[in-house]
Amino acid sequence: MTEPLDPDMFDTVCPSGLAPIRFGDKWAGMIIRCLQDGPRRFSELRVPLRGITAKVLAGSLRTLVRDGLIVRTAHPAPTQRVEYALTPLGRSMIGPMDAACAWTREHWDELLDAREASSAPS
């Protein structure tokens, strides 16, 4: 059995939108991170992704399935449930995501300065 996801695995004060490197939509990278240790149910994914609506999560999951990065498995009765898991292609995203995160951490101050300078009144 997989350990429960940490509700605080994503820093709520971290403006991830600041990172210029994107993996899919706003939530795709975080969904991939949630699945890196094994399959998860929809309700499990909502725990650390507390800012996402059910509709948006469902849409992001559909897109990731369509792109071949995750697989959706529906288990039949008596314990009907649906799980999402990374495919080998999805798992191959972990390395590039780690590199993008490391780059963003290294250049965080510069990114913040650039954003502040561009939004400063003229």
Side-chain angles (χ1 to χ4, degrees):
M1 177 142 186
T2 309
E3 290 290 319
L5 291 171
D6 179 0
D8 298 318
M9 71 185 285
F10 301 113
D11 187 349
T12 56
V13 297
C14 174
S16 60
L18 180 65
I21 302 167
R22 303 271 192 268
F23 293 91
D25 65 25
K26 174 182 177 179
W27 301 98
M30 289 183 275
I31 292 169
I32 290 169
R33 286 285 186 211
C34 289
L35 297 174
Q36 73 182 12
D37 292 327
R40 298 290 177 174
R41 296 175 71 170
F42 187 91
S43 59
E44 290 179 279
L45 294 172
R46 296 226 31 214
V47 172
L49 303 174
R50 57 186 163 269
I52 194 170
T53 65
K55 180 179 178 179
V56 172
L57 178 56
S60 291
L61 290 167
R62 273 192 301 275
T63 300
L64 289 166
V65 168
R66 181 203 65 204
D67 293 344
L69 300 176
I70 65 173
V71 63
R72 178 186 187 273
T73 304
H75 299 278
T79 57
Q80 282 185 306
R81 68 187 191 286
V82 174
E83 289 182 327
Y84 297 90
L86 291 176
T87 62
L89 181 62
R91 189 155 298 287
S92 74
M93 294 283 294
I94 302 294
M97 287 173 58
D98 288 345
C101 288
W103 183 90
T104 300
R105 278 191 300 275
E106 183 177 332
H107 296 283
W108 191 252
D109 290 335
E110 296 164 86
L111 292 165
L112 285 172
D113 291 345
R115 284 282 169 98
E116 289 172 7
S118 71
S119 64
S122 306

